Amino acid sequence: AQSVTQPDIHITVSEGASLELRCNYSYGATPYLFWYVQSPGQGLQLLLKYFSGDTLVQGIKGFEAEFKRSQSSFNLRKPSVHWSDAAEYFCAASSNDYKLSFGAGTTVTVRA
Amino acid sequence: KAGVTQTPRYLIKTRGQQVTLSCSPISGHRSVSWYQQTPGQGLQFLFEYFSETQRNKGNFPGRFSGRQFSNSRSEMNVSTLELGDSALYLCASSGGGAGTDTQYFGPGTRLTVL
């Protein structure tokens, strides 16, 4: 069955420190991959997406993600976290079936 | 360009009632998808519409239904509400040409069932 896994439920990081959120997928073929962010009480905002080509993808708000086929992973990174990055982050995948399958999400807390 | 809009933003209903939620996609987008978000089950796909046709449906009971109008606006309906239907219902739109099109989400409708 197709699935997306985010192993970390909650991550706490200091402001200014680097951040890495993990995402693994299980699909028959490489799906299209996305990272979304959700602030409390809000909808989902697209951070970045990977379809093909360069395995390092740049997104908004200083985020980037690296696709690794051998590890079935699509990890999200940010070199220096700001307090406004505190939110819940979702990895999602799509395989031409008109729907997104989401991971369980990772909540990021930023401490001063 | 205006984003995806959902109405109402908040809704309180009692068990057994029915509810209709509305979604207006980004201008020019022809695909609308619906998702349910709960703390226990996370984000789950409900259904997707393109040109008034349902192309995919998630694993939800028949009490959950939807439709799309000729202007691409969509509604979803939940009949005979249960306490477990309390959730944030998110609508997303995309161009719709391909099954992997990027989906853009609205702010959601928070449904509380008492």
Side-chain angles (χ1 to χ4, degrees), chain A residues 60-99:
Chain A
I60 63 171
K61 304 185 178 188
F63 285 93
E64 65 179 25
E66 185 172 14
F67 169 71
K68 291 186 178 180
R69 185 188 305 274
S70 62
Q71 298 178 18
S72 297
S73 69
F74 187 56
N75 294 348
L76 182 71
R77 299 192 294 249
K78 185 169 185 177
S80 178
V81 169
H82 187 261
W83 64 266
S84 60
D85 293 322
E88 189 161 20
Y89 293 79
F90 292 94
C91 182
S94 177
S95 65
N96 205 32
D97 55 359
Y98 313 112
K99 72 173 188 179

Side-chain angles (χ1 to χ4, degrees), chain A residues 1 3 7-9 27-28 35 82 99 109-110:
Chain A
S3 66
D8 304 305
I9 296 173
Y27 274 70
W35 275 100
H82 187 261
K99 72 173 188 179
T109 298
V110 180

Side-chain angles (χ1 to χ4, degrees), chain A residues 98, chain B residues 1 4 25-33 48-51 55 68 72 92-104:
Chain A
Y98 313 112
Chain B
K1 200 182 258 191
V4 178
I26 292 170
S27 178
H29 283 190
R30 298 172 63 191
S31 168
V32 172
S33 300
E48 187 266 358
Y49 289 88
F50 177 80
S51 291
R55 294 192 295 191
Q68 186 180 36
S72 295
S93 77
S94 71
T100 50
D101 278 354
T102 301
Q103 295 188 21
Y104 297 91

Side-chain angles (χ1 to χ4, degrees), chain B residues 8-14 18-21 36-37 64 76 78 81-89 108-114:
Chain B
R9 290 293 311 278
Y10 302 91
L11 209 47
I12 299 175
K13 293 286 188 180
T14 56
Q18 75 165 18
V19 66
T20 299
L21 311 181
Q36 182 196 63
Q37 184 177 24
F64 291 82
M76 66 163 283
V78 187
L81 284 166
E82 300 177 359
L83 295 179
D85 297 333
S86 294
L88 181 67
Y89 290 88
T109 294
R110 172 74 62 185
L111 172 64
T112 302
V113 182
L114 303 176

